[in-house]
Amino acid sequence: MSTDGKDIMMCLWRENRSMTVEEITKATRKRHYCVVTATDNLFGMGWAERSFEGGRARYAAAVTSEEYTATLMHEELTRAMAPQAQVLVALMASFTPTQRQMVSAALSAIA
């Protein structure tokens, strides 16, 4: 997410209400066209909700800041663990069905 997008999400969380582009522009002191672009991107990514009132778009946070942070952490962990995960998948692919069942039972025991 862009810096503008992060700033806008912080504004939406802080205000805890739907806001027009003009209100967001004033609150964040960003350029109008930056807010228009960023809010549209946030809506497209599912981070913001969009509704219309009198022909004007209003935006509100679609997720909490905690949900957003958890998603970022999950994405980073997934990216960081990708090489190890690929090794694990390759190893598991070499197992016999019996060996896979044993591993599955072991994982179930600790879950």
Side-chain angles (χ1 to χ4, degrees):
M1 179 182 306
S2 69
T3 301
D4 288 337
K6 290 176 188 174
D7 291 344
I8 290 168
M9 288 305 296
M10 294 294 288
C11 176
L12 293 174
W13 290 320
R14 183 179 59 251
E15 294 294 325
N16 197 28
R17 65 183 177 90
S18 67
M19 300 175 73
T20 64
V21 167
E22 290 75 18
E23 292 171 323
I24 296 168
T25 300
K26 185 176 179 179
T28 60
R29 298 182 179 166
K30 301 227 174 257
R31 293 177 188 240
H32 184 267
Y33 72 89
C34 293
V35 173
V36 169
T37 301
T39 52
D40 189 56
N41 290 341
L42 291 168
F43 172 72
M45 293 184 291
W47 296 119
E49 297 172 345
R50 179 169 55 199
S51 60
F52 291 91
E53 185 179 288
R56 298 172 82 186
R58 296 189 69 84
Y59 292 89
V63 297
T64 65
S65 60
E66 294 82 8
E67 291 168 326
Y68 169 74
T69 301
T71 299
L72 291 182
M73 290 174 68
H74 179 266
E75 289 173 357
E76 185 59 27
L77 285 172
T78 300
R79 186 191 62 74
M81 294 300 291
Q84 292 86 344
Q86 291 170 356
V87 169
L88 183 57
V89 168
L91 174 64
M92 295 288 289
S94 70
F95 286 1
T96 66
T98 302
Q99 290 170 320
R100 286 189 200 124
Q101 287 175 343
M102 289 171 51
V103 170
S104 179
L107 291 172
S108 294
I110 62 172

